Structures are given as structure tokens and as C-alpha cells.
Amino acid sequence: MTEVSSLTGRLLVATPALADPNFDRAVVLLLDHDEKGSLGVVLNRPTPVGVGDVLEGWAELAGEPGVVFQGGPVSLDSALGVAVIPGDSTERAPLGWRRVHGAIGLVDLEAPPELLAAALGSLRIFAGYSGWGPGQLEDELADGAWYVVESEPGDVSSPVPENLWRAVLRRQRSELAMIATYPDDPSLN
């Protein structure tokens, strides 16, 4: 088996050619990626369900728009919390938060919210996640289904998540920036 270079903490940006409706113009933050597989959450799929409707204690800490996001098609009845803790990345991580990459980490939603309240810069709650088995994501990358780009802490808390696909592509310093102008329906062009 070939060695897998970890993409943990990076973004997968769906190419216009990706045909899976679960990932149409999706921006996925990879929370874990190794030889055993990959796990991430779609950052730009808000649902109409308020965080307070499912996790009342976390509602005040959730960033705008204050709704649960659909993290992907796997285990939609489970919840993941992703938060940004501002400050020096060498500082000790607060109790109830596990660093994924830089200032981005996973929140233990079983912990009392007040443990993290003072430290949180932003929080998003995701129903479900996106998952790939061993080698599956690498195959999709080889097929051209995803662009892999660096994440920024602000991606987790984008105030207009519906525009994140274009915004992430637009900030790239390569030909990827032009993909941001790709029409929603090329047949109407």
C-alpha cells in the first residue's frame, strides 16, 4: 500500500464535475485523514433546524446563523461540534476541545458548554459527517472530483455559508480562482 500523506485540516472543494448531489459545490473540512480513511464535515450546508432545538446548552455559543449544518450523508442522527479557539497554537487546549489543525478543533458535546464558553471564538454544530474508506478519497482525488486547498479558521464560521464555495476558490492564487465564476447551470450560458 502506498503511504498516505495526511490532509487533515485542509479543505476539499468539489469540482464542477463532481456528480454526487450530496457534494454539489461542497466545501469539506477534513477532520481526520490517514491510511484507515477520512472524515470531514461539509461547511456550507445549513439546515433550517436551530441549534437550540437539538442541543439547547450549546445554542448561545453557536455562531450565526445559529443553525445545525448537514455535515454529510453519514450518521445524520449524530452531532459533531467544530470550533475555533483563537490565540497561540502552542497554548494548552481547553478541556472539552481537541485540536484538529491550527486553531480549529473538535468540541466534546457531552461536556458542559460553560467549560468552553470563555475560550471559543466560533462554534458550528453538524448533523452527520462525510466519510471515506481506506483509499477511497485518494481515488476521488485522482479522478478529479475535489480540489485540495488550505483551510482558514474563518471558513468554519463563514457568515454566509452558501457563498463559501466561491469564496474559497476566489482566494486561491492559481487558475482555481477562475473556477469561482463557473455558472450554476453551464447549459444556460
Side-chain angles (χ1 to χ4, degrees):
M1 182 172 171
T2 60
E3 185 177 324
V4 175
S5 176
S6 180
L7 299 176
T8 299
R10 304 206 47 207
L11 297 177
L12 298 177
V13 181
T15 68
L18 184 59
D20 185 338
N22 289 305
F23 297 108
D24 182 43
R25 297 201 178 208
V27 177
V28 178
L29 172 65
L30 281 175
L31 301 171
D32 194 21
H33 176 253
D34 58 26
E35 66 281 346
K36 297 175 189 162
S38 304
L39 180 139
V41 289
V42 179
L43 297 176
N44 57 336
R45 294 282 192 277
T47 72
V49 179
V51 172
D53 295 339
V54 290
L55 292 168
E56 187 177 337
W58 293 97
E60 280 188 32
L61 300 176
E64 287 301 319
V67 297
V68 175
F69 282 66
Q70 184 174 342
V74 182
S75 292
L76 290 172
D77 58 345
S78 66
L80 285 170
V82 177
V84 173
I85 303 284
D88 186 354
S89 64
T90 61
E91 291 177 20
R92 188 166 174 243
L95 198 57
W97 182 80
R98 181 179 62 84
R99 185 179 317 281
V100 170
H101 177 75
I104 301 168
L106 284 168
V107 172
D108 178 0
L109 296 174
E110 298 293 321
E114 50 276 2
L115 274 180
L116 284 167
L120 284 182
S122 63
L123 169 70
R124 284 273 159 90
I125 304 296
F126 297 90
Y129 63 91
S130 303
W132 294 264
Q136 186 180 3
L137 179 57
E138 288 73 17
D139 291 345
E140 289 183 18
L141 291 171
D143 290 343
W146 300 99
Y147 304 119
V148 179
V149 300
E150 295 298 323
S151 64
E152 294 181 2
D155 296 333
V156 173
S157 59
S158 174
V160 188
E162 298 86 351
N163 295 341
L164 191 60
W165 186 83
R166 288 187 194 282
V168 168
L169 288 171
R170 198 173 289 122
R171 74 176 183 231
Q172 303 310 306
R173 295 183 179 191
S174 65
E175 60 277 354
L176 285 183
M178 292 188 309
I179 302 293
T181 63
Y182 195 85
D184 291 334
D185 184 352
S187 67
L188 299 177
N189 201 6

